[in-house]
Amino acid sequence: MADILDRARARVLADGSGLGEAEILEVLRLPDEDLPALLQLAHEVRMRWCGPEVEVEGIVSLKTGGCPEDCHFCSQSGLFASPVRAVWLDIPSLVEAARQTAATGATEFCIVAAVRGPDKRLMDQMREGVKAIKEAVDIQVAASLGMLTQEQVDELVAMGVHRYNHNLETCRSHFPNVVTTHSWEERWGTLRMVRDSGMEVCCGGILGMGETIEQRAEFAAQLAELDPHEVPLNFLDARPGTPFADRPVVEGRDALRAIAAFRLAMPRTILRYAGGREITLGDLGTRDGLLGGINAVIVGNYLTTLGRPATADLDLLADLKMPVKTLSATF
């Protein structure tokens, strides 16, 4: 067994201290023959420091498409010739989506908008939507509305938004190759304000956007520094019409190595399966990831891509005897 696994077992599993960037890179460089042992260690770390429960979440787009930013992976950018067009969801549809999400057993419902940051119209619609959902459905409400001001952070807290998602998407050194209309530092600033407000921080990114293996290690270390409550881990599902349309699918074993490495970097964090896992890992790889550090899933479809049926994920969790996390009564 590789020396890095022995060191990780002695430190991460024993006392919950995450690996640093150089050690994460060692994990990402492990040969295929060490992958089963790596996944087993990551699963042991997850079970020890997070427990067996799996958090289930559904997401819906309140405002789809027409975004002014140029995130090269995203078909919702209004700057690219993608087939996605701008659409706003009305409040009754938002409530119905929350109700359907809760019916799957999910405890978290995230409202997403394709914007640089929310304007008054969007904040007003959020206020109305969150109120309507809370009156109709027993589910926690999260939001993902781009970059925020301090006033907007305070407004979301007052609405009762439980968690805020704002992905860094990739490491600081690679970010200019992915987005040019705003900076990594701007995203980091929003995340610091959200964390200081008392809302839970949800922050992850996408693997497979041309980053080097060293940059994947850098990204994991930067997320660990932020110490988010949750890290959604996406694998690029290349979208037609975007600058990354021709990027290859992340190889399954590399994806599993990354899952385990991110778990060993952040032993106490919710690590969530998000977009792209269906094409990167398939059914068998999805199971392997749940036994290799993952402890949360987005069920159903994503914002512009199809996911697995919610029943397929819930059946898999039942088969693995992993209980779905129950709704917390506290904010």
Side-chain angles (χ1 to χ4, degrees):
M1 183 181 293
D3 175 60
I4 181 59
L5 295 184
D6 293 334
R7 283 181 276 132
R9 180 174 295 278
R11 190 168 85 238
V12 185
L13 185 60
D15 65 12
S17 299
L19 298 182
E21 184 174 337
E23 294 165 312
I24 298 167
L25 182 57
E26 288 186 69
V27 170
L28 292 171
R29 286 175 170 165
L30 283 171
D32 288 348
E33 56 263 32
D34 286 330
L35 184 56
L38 170 63
L39 293 173
Q40 176 60 36
L41 174 58
H43 182 62
E44 291 176 31
V45 168
R46 168 264 174 109
M47 292 295 287
R48 175 158 189 180
W49 297 108
C50 299
E53 288 189 325
V54 176
E55 185 182 276
V56 176
E57 178 185 42
I59 60 176
V60 69
S61 183
L62 176 59
K63 189 259 181 185
T64 303
C67 182
E69 304 304 289
D70 74 344
C71 304
H72 291 11
F73 55 85
C74 186
S75 59
Q76 298 199 64
S77 172
L79 304 179
F80 308 142
S82 72
V84 176
R85 294 293 174 261
V87 176
W88 285 80
L89 199 64
D90 61 29
I91 300 303
S93 299
L94 197 63
V95 173
E96 180 57 27
R99 185 177 285 110
Q100 291 177 9
T101 297
T104 68
T107 58
E108 193 89 12
F109 179 69
C110 188
I111 302 171
V112 183
V115 291
R116 177 184 174 89
D119 58 14
K120 184 179 185 303
R121 175 191 177 187
L122 179 53
M123 291 299 288
D124 289 345
Q125 195 164 17
M126 274 295 299
R127 188 176 299 102
E128 183 182 350
V130 172
K131 181 175 183 293
I133 290 169
K134 287 182 172 293
E135 289 174 350
V137 187
D138 186 19
I139 198 166
Q140 290 171 326
V141 179
S144 181
L145 312 174
M147 291 174 286
L148 302 174
T149 65
Q150 184 62 59
E151 182 181 1
Q152 290 167 337
V153 170
D154 295 342
E155 284 185 68
L156 291 172
V157 171
M159 291 177 205
V161 170
H162 164 71
R163 181 182 297 166
Y164 194 76
N165 164 256
H166 191 51
N167 289 338
L168 287 169
E169 304 302 4
T170 191
C171 67
R172 187 173 187 172
S173 68
H174 188 53
F175 191 87
N177 299 315
V178 177
V179 184
T180 68
T181 48
H182 61 266
S183 68
W184 190 93
E185 289 78 10
E186 286 176 285
R187 291 192 178 220
W188 186 269
T190 286
L191 290 161
R192 293 295 297 269
M193 285 190 291
V194 168
R195 186 173 61 186
D196 291 346
S197 78
M199 275 190 289
E200 291 182 355
V201 173
C202 171
C203 178
I206 306 173
L207 302 185
M209 297 194 295
E211 74 280 357
T212 64
I213 193 170
E214 291 82 5
Q215 287 172 324
R216 286 185 187 173
E218 178 192 346
F219 185 36
Q222 287 165 347
L223 287 171
E225 179 186 350
L226 179 65
D227 192 24
H229 184 82
E230 173 189 342
V231 172
L233 200 54
N234 300 267
F235 304 99
L236 183 68
D237 183 354
R239 296 290 84 203
T242 68
F244 288 170
D246 296 326
R247 293 276 182 194
V249 173
V250 176
E251 205 279 325
R253 287 168 293 186
D254 289 338
L256 291 172
R257 259 187 289 269
I259 288 168
F262 277 58
R263 170 54 66 204
L264 296 179
M266 295 171 281
R268 304 171 191 269
T269 298
I270 293 175
L271 188 58
R272 187 182 297 279
Y273 263 149
R277 64 183 164 107
E278 296 78 14
I279 61 169
T280 296
L281 292 168
D283 290 346
L284 183 59
T286 293
R287 174 185 288 264
D288 289 342
L290 284 164
L291 294 172
I294 292 289
N295 65 327
V297 295
I298 292 175
V299 294
N301 295 330
Y302 307 109
L303 299 177
T304 60
T305 59
L306 298 177
R308 283 157 52 96
T311 52
D313 283 327
L314 296 172
D315 288 347
L316 176 56
L317 294 176
D319 184 49
L320 295 175
K321 296 180 171 55
M322 293 181 178
V324 174
K325 181 180 178 182
T326 57
L327 184 65
S328 172
T330 60
F331 168 50

